[in-house]
Amino acid sequence: MNTRTTPPRTHSPTDPGSGQLSAPYAEAVLAHAGRDWLRLNVPGHAAAAGSDLAGFFGSRITALDFPPLLDGIDLGPDTPLDRALALAAEAWGARRTWFLTNGASQGNQIASMVAPSLGRTLVVQRSVHSSVIDGLVLSGMDAVFVQPSVDPEQGIAHGVTAGDVAAALERTPDVAAVYIVSPSYFGAVADVHAIAETAHAAGVPLIVDEAWGSHFGFHPALPASALSSGADMVTSSTHKLGGSLTQSAMLHVAEGPFADRLEPLVDRAFRLVQSTSASALLTASLDLARRSLVVDADATSGSVEAADRVRNVVRALGRFGVVSDGFHAFPDIVRADPLRIALDTRAGGIAGHEARRRLFRDHQIMVEVATDAAIVAVIGAGFVPDTDRFLEALHTLPSPLTGSETERSAVLQLPAPGPAKLTAREAFLSPTRVLPAEQAVGRISADTLAAYPPGIPNVLPGEVITAEVVRFLQQTATAPNGHVRGALDLGVTRLRVVDGDTGHDLSRPEAD
């Protein structure tokens, strides 16, 4: 297979004549809503001015809520939707872009579904989003996992290095693609260019879940986008920091030696999982978000400056820590997203979960996520929040922890996952039964279980459940603010296993 080892690509979507100042789909929907329609089609609210929906949300919302397949919007040659998609591809430097109305999860599922055309096995970062594991269930592919680095004090996962990926490729026959996450939930950016070169040298494409980096590449202060760094397929959760409405996202395929094969497959897979009633509101928001990112660099400058101010004040006051200040200790991290503000609250005497709860309850301030040690606030590109309000509320948080409770927990030791005996699809679709956790040891899991923090899947469908993993999950579940995603009960006392599997002796050499 052909390989590519080119340097990061650049694009100039704001060049004169590029058309990026327009939002053709959003403008067409708005013009359509301005006409005097008698709507005898779906949606059933018919944009009636006196409906409960119009009364609650406003008549403008219902008037803009059109179904697909309308002349002058998305039906016919060279439609406003076609033009909006072409502008998005130009803006992100893609060969082709698809608008998604079921989030980046839909894009990850599509990417996993088309990968079998390239090989049998995916080399996958272990801390991928659950939608990538769902994609393995849909595709039936095998997977070889690359463990990310973990900050043991913060209990958070970062990324993988090109060397990690190369080692996995060397031990994996019939590789289809490499699948990584960048940036991480905490804003850690991987060396996508180096990982792309490693994948291409092995003759396979690089797929990047860039859900948290849809804004990358649109301002000099932001990291380069995954597409411009050599990735071949990228999922972009545009609603996260790009400014579109919740649940809207994009999927991009790059130019290159894999594009001719991937593009038609992605298009077919897209039609399999995209709603036939895609929301005009979500689609229009993607068109508008693209325009804002491209043409309003000054607004993004304000966002970066606001985030920098928060970090600088936190450093100056000294009570809390800035998590990204420690990123230099991890070889897999090459940059930090400046619009992600990750703060070590435990250094200031309050657990992250408690800080998040009090900010929400007492100050009407919402942050994105919390762990036992930290909170993460995000600033969307183009948005300038009231930083004084946030900083004042943050520094008036009480310090309820005393004595040994303020001490940092022991270094986080993640248990090694059990061996894979079935593919994720085989295990997921097999007959199952629920057993007490101690009886499930040695059996094949039918579920995905991930302890938070750090959120790395500890058990996947098809993997053997080990006693070490069970202990770790139960310890996490019973710890203050601990949580195990995918568990059948809060204490992880029961596990779902493949029925008919008689168990595996993990002490035997073949199980290593």
Side-chain angles (χ1 to χ4, degrees):
M1 186 177 292
N2 292 329
T3 62
R4 180 181 69 220
T5 57
T6 57
R9 298 182 293 270
T10 59
H11 58 282
S12 301
T14 55
D15 287 344
S18 69
Q20 292 288 339
L21 291 173
S22 68
Y25 181 85
E27 292 161 0
V29 170
L30 183 62
H32 207 66
R35 300 173 66 182
D36 183 17
W37 295 103
L38 173 62
R39 292 173 63 163
L40 303 177
N41 59 342
V42 297
H45 60 68
S51 69
D52 282 348
L53 282 175
F56 194 86
F57 293 112
S59 59
R60 179 120 175 190
I61 293 293
T62 53
L64 293 168
D65 186 22
F66 289 110
L69 302 180
L70 292 179
D71 288 323
I73 295 181
D74 62 347
L75 193 63
D78 191 30
T79 66
L81 178 59
D82 292 333
R83 295 196 294 275
L85 289 166
L87 287 171
E90 178 186 56
W92 270 271
R95 169 170 170 161
R96 186 170 175 187
T97 292
W98 291 259
F99 287 170
L100 310 176
T101 55
N102 197 29
S105 295
Q106 182 185 352
N108 283 330
Q109 291 165 6
I110 291 170
S112 298
M113 289 169 65
V114 304
S117 68
L118 303 169
R120 177 61 194 166
T121 305
L122 277 176
V123 170
V124 187
Q125 183 174 325
R126 181 81 185 195
S127 53
V128 288
H129 190 263
S130 59
S131 58
V132 179
I133 306 304
D134 297 341
L136 292 176
V137 172
L138 291 171
S139 69
M141 295 190 75
D142 291 321
V144 169
F145 291 99
V146 184
Q147 291 288 351
S149 70
V150 175
D151 182 337
E153 296 215 346
Q154 293 293 329
I156 56 177
H158 294 310
V160 295
T161 66
D164 297 330
V165 171
L169 287 168
E170 288 176 2
R171 67 176 188 269
T172 307
D174 198 15
V175 178
V178 173
Y179 213 128
I180 68 164
V181 180
S182 181
S184 72
Y185 217 126
F186 279 68
V189 181
D191 190 346
V192 176
H193 176 55
I195 296 172
E197 286 195 324
T198 299
H200 297 156
V204 297
L206 173 65
I207 305 171
V208 178
D209 180 354
E210 197 178 37
W212 284 99
S214 60
H215 54 302
F216 283 9
F218 288 100
H219 189 276
L222 299 175
S225 70
L227 280 172
S228 70
S229 299
D232 299 281
M233 192 185 309
V234 174
T235 297
S236 174
S237 192
T238 322
H239 73 90
K240 286 186 167 63
L241 274 80
S244 61
L245 290 175
T246 297
Q247 201 173 312
S248 60
M250 299 185 193
L251 180 64
H252 309 287
V253 167
E255 287 286 5
F258 307 101
D260 287 342
R261 192 165 185 180
L262 288 174
E263 182 182 344
L265 289 170
V266 169
D267 199 43
R268 292 169 65 194
F270 166 80
R271 297 178 195 283
L272 281 179
V273 298
Q274 174 78 329
S275 171
T276 56
S277 301
S279 167
L281 291 167
L282 296 184
T283 304
S285 77
L286 288 168
D287 196 20
L288 292 167
R290 180 271 314 156
R291 182 174 69 179
S292 294
L293 284 170
V294 171
V295 305
D296 202 352
D298 287 342
T300 301
S301 293
S303 304
V304 174
E305 290 167 4
D308 285 342
R309 178 175 185 272
V310 171
R311 283 186 289 267
N312 289 335
V313 171
V314 167
R315 292 183 186 110
L317 294 177
R319 177 180 172 188
F320 302 106
V322 177
V323 174
S324 57
D325 288 347
F327 279 1
H328 64 275
F330 298 90
D332 53 277
I333 303 176
V334 295
R335 283 200 66 180
D337 177 8
L339 297 187
R340 214 80 52 88
I341 307 169
L343 301 176
D344 182 348
T345 61
R346 192 165 50 181
I350 184 169
H353 292 288
E354 182 66 8
R356 182 187 189 187
R357 186 179 72 85
R358 288 177 178 267
L359 287 169
F360 183 90
R361 184 195 66 187
D362 301 337
H363 302 278
Q364 290 74 56
I365 294 175
M366 291 186 284
V367 296
E368 176 58 32
V369 71
T371 68
D372 186 56
I375 59 171
V376 181
V378 299
I379 296 178
F383 171 60
V384 180
D386 185 345
T387 55
D388 287 338
R389 178 180 172 184
F390 175 58
L391 286 164
E392 181 179 357
L394 182 70
H395 287 87
T396 57
L397 291 173
S399 301
L401 303 183
T402 59
S404 62
E405 290 178 303
T406 63
E407 296 175 4
R408 294 191 178 276
S409 57
V411 172
L412 180 68
Q413 295 290 339
L414 294 177
K421 297 295 182 179
L422 299 172
T423 66
R425 179 182 178 87
E426 289 168 340
F428 186 88
L429 297 179
S430 293
T432 63
R433 62 186 303 187
V434 175
L435 294 176
E438 61 273 13
Q439 295 180 26
V441 172
R443 306 290 289 267
I444 297 175
S445 176
D447 289 332
T448 301
L449 300 173
Y452 282 78
I456 298 173
N458 306 105
V459 181
L460 296 178
E463 291 181 345
V464 175
I465 299 167
T466 68
E468 182 187 14
V469 165
V470 170
R471 285 193 299 271
F472 177 80
L473 294 175
Q474 290 180 339
Q475 288 171 358
T476 299
T478 56
N481 302 305
H483 172 67
V484 177
R485 186 182 185 278
L488 296 175
D489 59 80
L490 293 177
V492 196
T493 64
R494 299 173 301 132
L495 298 173
R496 194 190 331 268
V497 301
V498 173
D499 197 11
D501 170 47
T502 57
H504 302 269
D505 181 359
L506 299 184
S507 66
R508 295 173 58 189
E510 61 267 28
D512 291 340

